[in-house]
Amino acid sequence: MLVALGIVACEAPIDPAMVEAEVVAFGQYTLGDGQPELVTPGPSVPCRLGQVFGVEYRISTRDGSSGPVPVELRWTHPRLEGEEGRPPRFETRIDQSPPEIARGGSAMFGRALWSFEEPHDLVEGRYAFEVRTRDPDALLLMRAFDVEGCPQGS
């Protein structure tokens, strides 16, 4: 009789209390050659079609643990009308699997960008990128932008 035993190494889930997040860079970006490039650092954003702005961030753990990080990434913003009968919204979650710190790594880096692609997207006000822990819900990082100068009637 042959018995095969496999040992599966599972990392313990990352403790939300150990998670840290910081802004690496933020401001207005250009999308030249397919790669976003920071062109104007800072929180002021002109309201115009094609405008791209956002945050480059770093997520790490104080205890050096790796694996999926129990955080949620989202933008809060002025009231945006919903598409095709959907209700208006004041928040847009970045739908993705949780960010992950690679085994043996000390941190992960990411970028969250917002762009004005259609005339109905042009809405003045405060837009903020947030990183929040899940269970318990706690704000780890927030970087706000002030969008100004939208054309009348937008």
Side-chain angles (χ1 to χ4, degrees):
M1 175 175 181
L2 179 61
V3 177
L5 297 175
I7 298 175
V8 178
C10 293
E11 293 184 52
I14 293 177
D15 179 356
M18 292 289 112
V19 178
E20 298 178 316
E22 67 179 313
V23 172
V24 176
F26 69 99
Q28 298 171 47
Y29 287 76
T30 184
L31 299 178
D33 295 330
Q35 281 289 50
E37 181 180 332
L38 181 65
V39 292
T40 308
S44 297
V45 177
C47 185
R48 62 177 176 241
L49 286 176
Q51 181 65 58
V52 178
F53 60 97
V55 177
E56 294 178 37
Y57 57 91
R58 177 181 186 269
I59 297 175
S60 60
T61 56
R62 285 192 286 277
D63 62 359
S65 56
S66 60
V69 184
V71 294
E72 181 178 271
L73 310 174
R74 66 178 159 197
W75 284 91
T76 59
H77 46 70
R79 176 189 169 118
L80 298 177
E81 295 302 322
E83 297 175 16
E84 299 178 22
R86 291 187 173 162
R89 64 187 197 282
F90 294 89
E91 171 181 296
T92 301
R93 293 180 184 199
I94 299 174
D95 290 329
Q96 65 179 31
S97 55
E100 190 162 331
I101 297 175
R103 181 181 212 116
S106 61
M108 62 82 52
F109 293 85
R111 182 183 295 125
L113 300 176
W114 189 275
S115 65
F116 295 126
E117 298 171 3
E118 301 289 333
H120 65 268
D121 294 338
L122 299 174
V123 179
E124 279 189 7
R126 175 145 298 189
Y127 290 70
F129 171 71
E130 297 180 352
V131 176
R132 302 185 78 88
T133 59
R134 297 179 181 160
D135 201 25
D137 179 29
L139 182 64
L140 293 178
L141 176 145
M142 192 269 295
R143 175 76 262 172
F145 297 88
D146 295 313
V147 174
E148 298 175 328
C150 290
Q152 292 294 338
S154 62

